[in-house]
DNA sequence: TATGATAATGTTACCTGTAACAAAACATGG
DNA sequence: CCATGTTTTGTTACAGGTAACATTATCATA
């Protein structure tokens, strides 16, 4: 294994380039490039020699030149407000399940619900020449809209199916879902239902609106406990005590997500409050745990993973040149009564 | 706003380059480049003109040329076996919490526990010139090792602190943790403890070994229920019934993770089996839910998020040129008795 | 053997930002 | 008003693949 080529790659301690491989074989890098994309384009004797050289040097492809010349990276950017929320973990899973088999790479970013950070993250993702973007939330700054317009890549907004999308949105109607669950609880004779809200983002606001409208439509008085911090089991317990203090005859609790609901439910168990006899409790999203626990949690089942999957599928379709097939894809939710109502 | 430049960028419907900005201002792209990196390097009158032009055209930086010429992307690759497992979601969160503020980008990939897919994913991540890698699992193929060696970038392996790492490992001693919990249950007078194992990866094997050793050390007979499918609440319930059939006097159940344990616990509640009076149940990892439920789940608390955070911190440190400070970082676990033992 | 067709390989240019060096513009003091 | 130093701007080259075009080798057939 002689390495008598002029620019010995081992000396530079740099990963070998096509040129290094070509030098070793005694051909042009173009020939090696051809072999990599379509081995039959190269004569049979060269095929084995090139294959050996690639193996010998441990050649690793380099996408940088291609990204530079074509402005296409074969990567898609995924920008979410948070990774703490289990919902987004499931969305990511759905996205990856489509993106990875299609040979695309996922670039992940999050911005902690800050519009300023969102701008910065989008700029960063675009600076890597991502071929497309999946983003969350429906409101975006003018700067973000301009960047996306200038970048000229397909963008899909997820989570919300109501706000007019930049190009295409895939999500659920949060307001309608919250209305439906509230109405369902009212029909089961609950009259003093309190809403627990955390992380006051756009979707939470929609849900609160749905809850309040349903209450008012039925001549009932809404009461909403709010905090801007993230939801958690313990927050659910705290809210329960707050609710009972503010409204001792509370007979129903509807939470902006399952975490709060489960926390509230456990707090009831500890306090000797019977669920659902004394108080009904409902969550939102239908995470695995809510579908397995005792008692089964009443919840609004949302298609988180499917949302990610669909978003990825539509994005890939558009990367193949297809037009936007449907501006808004409104996914169905399902009211699950469980055993806690 | 006249656009009298020769190669009108609007015509090509391509995002503007530094050249486009420079043309608009009437300077060289080098001057614009200087302004972007350090505005003071440019005369005051030009500063405003360039800033305006950048704004006008909606210039978005392009990292591709820099990645090409420096072979540095300011992105780090994160390769995990699965995104389904909640453990990995928490690890990702830990990684992102460090990587993002440091101005690095995360490229996420997963390989579904297939060694072949792992090779492919690593090659892909390297083809994007990631500056460093965080990977999971301790066994890697020769090809993977060679690729990593050739790439010459820092690599950190997470999850396991026992196997000799390629360069640096950050994790826990799964065998010791499983031994400790088993021993703890035995000390609480449990004698017929069954182990529930799913997803038979390396870490699960370590845990089984710890469990079996503890049982044998105490003169007890181990019994392990195994499946290669992913763990879930329902699987925990299924396993419970299998265990009671195979060993009716089972008095303890130790699960390879919390999902299984919670599933088994709920199944006990439904079957009228008292926990922990009739059967003790322990999980592994200590997810939020296990720290909130009723009864509190006994579990081995592992520092998942911290593992990700530390991995990212050490990786960044090495990207700044620091050497590997500690080949293996063995993070502490904690036996939490909860109320289910 | 010449000829045209085809297959195999080579050459050149390009993608965009920036390091490194070069030149021009400007300021200051003698 | 020149010499000198400093600030500001310009020029050139480069990173590593590949598209597009050019050339050379190969082969079958007249």
């Amino acid at each position: 294994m002689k390495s008598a080529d002029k620019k010995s790659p081992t000396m530079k301690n740099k990963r070998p380039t096509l040129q290094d491989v070509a030098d070793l074989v005694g051909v042009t890098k173009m020939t090696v490039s051809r072999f990599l994309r379509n081995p039959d384009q190269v004569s049979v004797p060269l095929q084995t020699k090139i294959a050996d050289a690639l193996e010998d040097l441990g050649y690793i492809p380099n996408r940088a030149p291609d990204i530079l010349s074509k402005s296409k990276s074969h990567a898609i950017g995924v920008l979410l407000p948070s990774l703490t929320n289990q919902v987004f973990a499931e969305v990511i899973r759905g996205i990856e399940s489509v993106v990875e088999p299609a040979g695309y790479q996922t670039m992940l970013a999050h911005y902690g619900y800050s519009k300023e950070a969102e701008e910065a993250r989008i700029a960063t993702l675009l600076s890597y020449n991502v071929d497309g973007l999946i983003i969350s939330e429906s409101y975006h700054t003018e700067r973000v809209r301009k960047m996306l317009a200038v970048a000229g890549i397909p963008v899909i907004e997820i989570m919300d199916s109501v706000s007019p999308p930049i190009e295409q949105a895939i999500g659920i109607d949060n307001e309608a879902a919250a209305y439906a669950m509230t109405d369902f609880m009212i029909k089961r004779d609950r009259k003093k239902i309190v809403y627990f809200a955390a992380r006051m983002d756009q979707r939470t606001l929609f849900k609160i609106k749905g809850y309040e409208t349903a209450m008012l439509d039925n001549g009932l008085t809404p009461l909403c406990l709010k905090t801007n911090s993230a939801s958690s089991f313990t927050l659910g317990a705290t809210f329960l005590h707050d609710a009972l203090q503010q409204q001792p005859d509370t007979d129903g609790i509807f939470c902006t997500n399952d975490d709060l609901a489960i926390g509230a439910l456990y707090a009831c168990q500890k306090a000797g409050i019977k669920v659902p006899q004394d108080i009904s409790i409902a969550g939102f999203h239908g995470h695995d745990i809510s579908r397995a626990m005792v008692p089964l949690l009443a919840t609004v089942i949302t298609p988180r993973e499917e949302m990610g999957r669909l978003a990825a599928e539509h994005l890939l379709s558009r990367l193949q040149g297809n037009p936007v097939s449907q501006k808004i894809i409104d996914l169905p939710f399902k009211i699950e009564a469980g055993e806690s109502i």
Side-chain angles (χ1 to χ4, degrees), chain A residues 178 181-182 185 192-201 203-212 215 221-268 273 275 279-285 297:
Chain A
M181 177 56 98
T182 308
M185 293 176 83
K192 311 283 279 188
I193 305 169
V194 183
Y195 193 88
F196 289 3
R199 178 63 76 204
M200 304 299 286
D201 60 11
R203 274 160 289 128
T204 303
L205 297 178
F206 280 134
K207 291 184 213 167
I208 292 175
K209 185 150 171 248
Y211 154 78
E212 288 180 340
M215 291 294 278
T221 311
L223 171 58
C224 183
L225 303 187
K226 303 175 187 178
T227 172
N228 208 16
S229 56
S231 71
S232 65
F233 298 119
T234 45
L235 181 59
T238 308
F239 268 160
L240 175 77
H241 297 118
D242 292 355
L244 289 176
Q245 198 177 328
Q246 288 186 43
Q247 191 179 76
D249 56 343
T250 293
D251 61 4
I253 289 167
F254 181 20
C255 302
T256 213
N257 63 41
D258 288 348
D259 294 12
L260 291 178
I262 294 172
L265 198 153
Y266 288 142
C268 282
I273 300 169
V275 176
I279 295 184
S280 288
I281 296 182
F284 202 102
H285 277 317
L297 184 68

Side-chain angles (χ1 to χ4, degrees), chain A residues 14 33 51 58 90 123 141 145 149 244 250 252 260 302-303 320:
Chain A
K14 248 178 108 251
S33 172
E90 298 173 56
T141 63
R145 289 173 178 278
L244 289 176
T250 293
L260 291 178
T302 59
Q320 277 150 27

Side-chain angles (χ1 to χ4, degrees), chain A residues 39-147:
Chain A
D40 295 335
Q41 263 181 80
V42 165
S43 63
V44 179
L46 268 187
Q47 284 179 23
T48 49
K49 283 173 76 176
I50 293 176
D52 288 352
L54 287 166
E55 183 67 28
D56 255 27
L57 296 177
Y59 176 77
I60 302 165
N62 185 356
R63 294 205 188 194
D66 217 46
I67 296 174
L68 174 57
S69 56
K70 301 214 187 52
S71 299
K72 294 247 172 297
S73 60
H74 250 227
I76 68 141
V78 176
L79 182 60
L80 300 172
S82 148
L83 300 177
T84 309
N85 195 322
Q86 199 191 330
V87 172
F88 294 119
E90 298 173 56
V91 168
I92 292 173
R93 194 188 312 159
I95 293 173
E96 265 279 302
S97 75
V98 170
V99 158
E100 183 267 307
Y104 278 79
Q105 191 56 40
T106 300
M107 292 205 87
L108 183 66
H110 71 116
Y111 56 91
Y113 296 94
S114 142
K115 285 294 152 195
E116 207 174 52
E118 186 191 11
E119 284 185 5
R121 298 298 157 272
I122 286 183
T124 300
L125 289 172
L126 293 177
S127 80
Y128 282 100
N129 293 277
V130 290
D131 295 356
L133 271 179
I134 295 176
I135 63 183
S136 172
E137 300 293 300
S138 38
Y139 164 72
H140 305 284
T141 63
E142 204 42 57
R143 193 181 207 86
V144 163
R145 289 173 178 278
K146 175 162 187 183
M147 276 196 286

Side-chain angles (χ1 to χ4, degrees), chain A residues 150-165:
Chain A
V150 168
I153 59 171
V155 177
I156 293 184
E157 290 162 283
I158 55 172
M159 302 314 291
D160 172 27
S161 67
V162 174
S163 314

